[in-house]
Amino acid sequence: MGTSVQEKLGVQPRKGLRLSDILVTVLVSLVLGVIYHFWGSVYNLLKPLFFEADELLYGMWFAAATLAYLLIRKPGVAIIAEVAAAHVEVLFGSGWGLTLLLYGLIQGLGAELVFAAFRYRSTSAWTVAIAGAGAAVGSMVMDFYYSYTDDLQTWMFMAKYGMRILSGAVIAGLLMLLLAKALDRTGVTSLLRPASKKDYEALDDPRHV
């Protein structure tokens, strides 16, 4: 029996985060953290349109979690990315301070739990959209904790958080999926992941010799 290329190289599948995975996650978070800082100006443009209209753009603040996961596809990435992006905002002088880091942690956890529910094997549009919505639910939990919802009537609550969840699903979910696919077509994402079983099988295929 022949020895596969993977066996010859002594390569073992790596499920845990490598240093390179963390560095890429932080880099993605740095870029999105800068976008977060300036997103407030775009976010405020919708406020005068109708009640809580700005919630339709809220999903951008969950984008680090989903995009980083789509690029790395490993456990823990969504949480690390959101917390790192929140750190960037704090460094830019955000008045939210430590509160922002807590939001980042819980929002990242909301997305992480969805990816975990699919055993980190799915990157379908549905999965990523639900993850974006999960991050929005995480932000809602923090709003409840800080009593930001106490003065809202039922219809106001439904409208506000309905739009936020929709925004999370569309912007953090579907839009980041499109961005990840665009990056994949450039070949960039192949440099971020270890060789897969299919890659080694292709090298063993005599047709490729």
Side-chain angles (χ1 to χ4, degrees), residues 1-208:
M1 292 179 65
T3 304
S4 70
V5 173
Q6 189 169 3
E7 290 171 340
K8 289 176 182 177
L9 296 177
V11 177
Q12 299 296 326
R14 295 184 178 182
K15 296 182 179 180
L17 287 173
R18 301 171 300 172
L19 177 59
S20 59
D21 297 327
I22 296 174
L23 291 176
V24 171
T25 301
V26 171
L27 178 60
V28 171
S29 302
L30 286 174
V31 173
L32 284 170
V34 173
I35 293 174
Y36 287 1
H37 177 69
F38 294 103
W39 190 249
S41 299
V42 179
Y43 180 77
N44 291 332
L45 291 176
L46 291 190
K47 280 188 176 181
L49 296 182
F50 55 87
F51 173 76
E52 300 290 356
D54 48 340
E55 292 287 337
L56 292 173
L57 295 179
Y58 205 100
M60 179 57 73
W61 279 299
F62 315 137
T66 50
L67 181 59
Y69 173 76
L70 288 168
L71 296 178
I72 305 299
R73 302 183 187 180
K74 289 187 178 181
V77 166
I79 294 177
I80 293 172
E82 270 296 293
V83 173
H87 271 85
V88 175
E89 283 193 89
V90 172
L91 291 174
F92 267 103
S94 171
W96 290 83
L98 292 177
T99 301
L100 193 59
L101 301 183
L102 288 174
Y103 267 90
L105 175 63
I106 303 303
Q107 289 165 184
L109 179 62
E112 188 78 37
L113 290 174
V114 174
F115 294 130
F118 289 93
R119 298 184 179 181
Y120 299 99
R121 295 176 181 173
S122 176
T123 55
S124 69
W126 278 110
T127 300
V128 183
I130 296 171
V137 172
S139 72
M140 290 169 57
V141 171
M142 292 302 297
D143 282 1
F144 299 154
Y145 178 78
Y146 283 107
S147 302
Y148 296 150
T149 62
D150 290 354
D151 296 330
L152 294 177
Q153 297 180 19
T154 302
W155 74 269
M156 292 179 176
F157 177 89
M158 297 297 291
K160 177 182 180 70
Y161 291 105
M163 287 187 287
R164 182 179 297 187
I165 290 172
L166 176 63
S167 180
V170 173
I171 297 178
L174 301 181
L175 185 60
M176 291 304 107
L177 179 60
L178 290 175
L179 177 57
K181 286 184 175 181
L183 291 171
D184 196 45
R185 285 193 292 269
T186 68
V188 171
T189 54
S190 63
L191 301 175
L192 305 180
R193 307 186 195 112
S196 67
K197 182 179 179 181
K198 289 183 178 180
D199 295 328
Y200 290 113
E201 288 175 346
L203 290 174
D204 281 328
D205 192 334
R207 292 173 298 178
H208 297 160

